Amino acid sequence: MGILDNFEKGLERAVNGAFAKTFRSGLQPVELTSALRRELDTKAAVVTRDRILAPNDFTLLLAPNDYKRMHAMGPALTDELTDFVQRHASAQHYQFAGGISISMRPDDSLSTGILHVESQNVKGNVAWVPVLDIGGKRYPLKHSRTVVGRGSEADITVDDTGTSRKHIEIAWDGSHAQVRDLGSTNGSQLNGNPVKKAVLEPDSVITIGRTRIVFRVLPQASAAVPSRREPDDVTRRHDIDGFWDRS
């Protein structure tokens, strides 16, 4: 534990690459993932032979200048950090008492480039939120049926001349998703294979024209989880199927 394997290094490079152009100086996103990893490894406690409990509630204390830049990225950065925590916990066989919560807060006592992490174990409930990742942006599926295409009448519009005005439809019933091609000119693919209509599994990849769409289901903890956050904190709370203690 505590030594990055190639898998974790790849995750850190992915996070850093996604945001590196935004940050010219000061703290880098890859340093946030490293700090979260160290916090998990340091605070993980062996409860029983088959259970290692790790903290699931994190506060990242940043210098004001670093906080301002990181905060500007909004949910995208926090979701990337949460994904990293989930995958590192899975690789190390850690378990959590509740949903994962990551927030950022400015601290005037810290110098630019310095980061401090606070963590604790917090129990909470969870809800599942379906999203589409398209071109570096994340779109929650708020409706039972969501149309993706080039036209303004689509719920999610993509700038791709290879797509039809109404290209595909994603249906969500609260627990399962389905993709349907809406008679598009160039057709659609699901995980590299032509598709007309099919069930969507988490992390499925839909291709329309030159556009790559990733379907994800994010476990999000309810607002009832006890929190010490300030109103303007950037916070996302998540849970992991298989890690949440449902007993």
Side-chain angles (χ1 to χ4, degrees):
M1 297 180 190
I3 300 177
L4 279 177
D5 55 21
N6 291 333
F7 175 71
E8 293 169 296
K9 287 180 181 177
L11 287 173
E12 288 194 326
R13 283 196 298 269
V15 173
N16 193 41
F19 300 101
K21 293 181 181 179
T22 304
F23 305 101
R24 301 297 181 185
S25 62
L27 206 62
Q28 299 292 322
V30 69
E31 296 175 79
L32 303 186
T33 61
S34 295
L36 287 168
R37 172 180 50 80
R38 285 194 301 270
E39 187 72 8
L40 282 165
D41 293 342
T42 301
K43 297 289 183 67
V46 178
V47 180
T48 65
R49 186 181 64 178
D50 300 320
R51 183 173 184 182
I52 304 174
L53 187 65
N56 62 308
D57 184 89
F58 303 89
T59 300
L60 304 178
L61 302 177
L62 314 173
N65 288 339
D66 289 329
Y67 172 78
K68 186 181 298 184
R69 298 198 324 271
M70 299 291 181
H71 185 272
M73 295 305 300
L77 176 57
T78 314
D79 285 341
E80 292 289 352
L81 296 175
T82 301
D83 288 342
F84 178 83
V85 168
Q86 290 176 338
R87 297 190 188 194
H88 181 67
S90 177
Q92 301 297 335
H93 305 291
Y94 296 156
Q95 296 180 356
F96 297 120
I100 297 173
S101 173
I102 300 178
S103 68
M104 293 183 285
R105 197 168 69 204
D107 187 330
D108 293 334
S109 69
L110 298 177
S111 301
T112 299
I114 302 299
L115 165 67
H116 180 67
V117 181
E118 295 179 349
S119 66
Q120 62 177 341
N121 293 311
V122 177
K123 285 191 174 182
N125 298 318
V126 65
W128 297 94
V129 180
V131 301
L132 298 179
D133 284 346
I134 308 174
K137 295 183 179 179
R138 180 160 288 173
Y139 301 88
L141 298 180
K142 299 179 180 179
H143 309 291
S144 58
R145 297 183 184 276
T146 301
V147 174
V148 182
R150 179 170 49 87
S152 58
E153 63 269 35
D155 299 303
I156 300 175
T157 304
V158 295
D159 184 14
D160 184 344
T161 56
T163 64
S164 298
R165 298 183 65 82
K166 293 174 123 180
H167 199 109
I168 58 170
E169 176 187 78
I170 308 292
W172 172 256
D173 66 2
S175 58
H176 299 89
Q178 178 179 269
V179 60
R180 180 168 67 94
D181 185 275
L182 298 176
S184 64
T185 302
N186 296 325
S188 306
Q189 291 187 335
L190 176 62
N191 298 324
N193 300 311
V195 65
K196 292 292 184 182
K197 184 177 181 180
V199 172
L200 279 179
E201 299 293 339
D203 298 322
S204 295
V205 178
I206 307 163
T207 305
I208 58 174
R210 299 182 304 277
T211 301
R212 183 175 183 271
I213 303 170
V214 182
F215 170 74
R216 304 187 192 279
V217 181
L218 300 179
Q220 188 171 42
S222 68
V225 177
S227 175
R228 60 182 182 284
R229 313 297 175 211
E230 296 176 359
D232 63 345
D233 280 341
V234 177
T235 305
R236 285 294 179 275
R237 298 182 179 86
H238 298 271
D239 189 25
I240 309 174
D241 186 24
F243 290 116
W244 185 38
D245 180 13
R246 293 175 172 81
S247 59

